């Protein structure tokens, strides 16, 4: 029971930190701001975390692991390549729609920050590309993708496109009404391109 209570309190702190970081940014947030957001005593936070950096790392590692679990489930599904890519694009875009503060913190405060360059963080992040590379490699083996396509580069381009689209929405450079269209366009343009003709072979 005590462990459950401690886990619940820890999760409350992480959720409060997400809200505080989204409002004020990592540098503009104090530990006392997180405590206020969580409705707990300031000193209690140090019972669970050493400092603000450890809180941010915990947000990334724990939430990103949930994302990886979803990616693995999609990967193991029997759907075709287009169905899997639609599921992945839809998952990330819907995650932003449902948890905008979390996605903002993950992208702006972690993925685009030098703090992200810790070896353990990079290993967690790299796994997403490994899963995607496997999806593309199997599709290539099945004759769905052209032989000259590089599965690893494809994983970078596809996930990078999703991140860029969500970042644009966070920065409000695209309207919220584009989110549903993004699910379709990201996959269609990635798989089928936007040109009516391919360039001549050189």
């Amino acid at each position: 029971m005590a462990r459950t209570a401690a886990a619940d309190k820890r999760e409350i702190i992480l959720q409060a930190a997400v809200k505080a970081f989204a409002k004020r940014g990592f540098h503009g947030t104090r530990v006392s701001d997180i405590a206020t957001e969580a409705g707990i005593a300031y000193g209690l936070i140090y019972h669970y975390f050493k400092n603000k950096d450890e809180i941010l790392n915990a947000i990334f590692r724990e939430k990103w692991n949930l994302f990886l679990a979803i990616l693995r489930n999609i990967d193991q599904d029997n759907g075709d390549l287009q169905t899997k890519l639609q599921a992945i694009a839809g998952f990330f875009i819907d995650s932003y729609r449902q948890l905008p503060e979390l996605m903002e913190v993950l992208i702006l405060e972690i993925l685009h920050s030098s703090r992200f360059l810790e070896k353990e963080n990079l290993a967690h992040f790299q796994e997403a590309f490994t899963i995607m590379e496997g999806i593309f490699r199997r599709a290539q083996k099945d004759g769905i993708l052209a032989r000259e396509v590089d599965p690893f580069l494809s994983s970078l381009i596809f996930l990078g496109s999703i991140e860029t689209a969500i970042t644009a929405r966070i920065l409000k450079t695209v309207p919220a009404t584009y989110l549903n269209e993004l699910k379709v366009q990201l996959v269609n343009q990635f798989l089928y391109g936007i040109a009516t003709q391919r360039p001549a072979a050189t």
Side-chain angles (χ1 to χ4, degrees), residues 15 26 29 50-51 53 68 73 75 77 79 83 88-89 92 94 99 108 135 139 144 153 158 176 185 190 192 195 202:
Q15 290 178 5
F26 177 79
T29 299
K50 293 179 181 177
N51 50 42
D53 287 90
L68 289 177
N73 287 338
D75 179 25
D77 185 63
T83 300
I88 292 167
F92 279 109
D94 287 343
L99 302 166
L108 298 185
I135 290 173
I144 297 169
L153 290 181
F158 185 68
Q185 290 288 332
F190 182 82
Y192 307 115
T202 55

Side-chain angles (χ1 to χ4, degrees), residues 130-145:
T130 300
I131 293 169
M132 287 302 310
E133 181 181 1
I135 290 173
F136 289 125
R137 197 170 293 284
R138 286 189 294 277
Q140 189 176 50
K141 184 178 179 181
D142 293 339
I144 297 169
L145 294 184

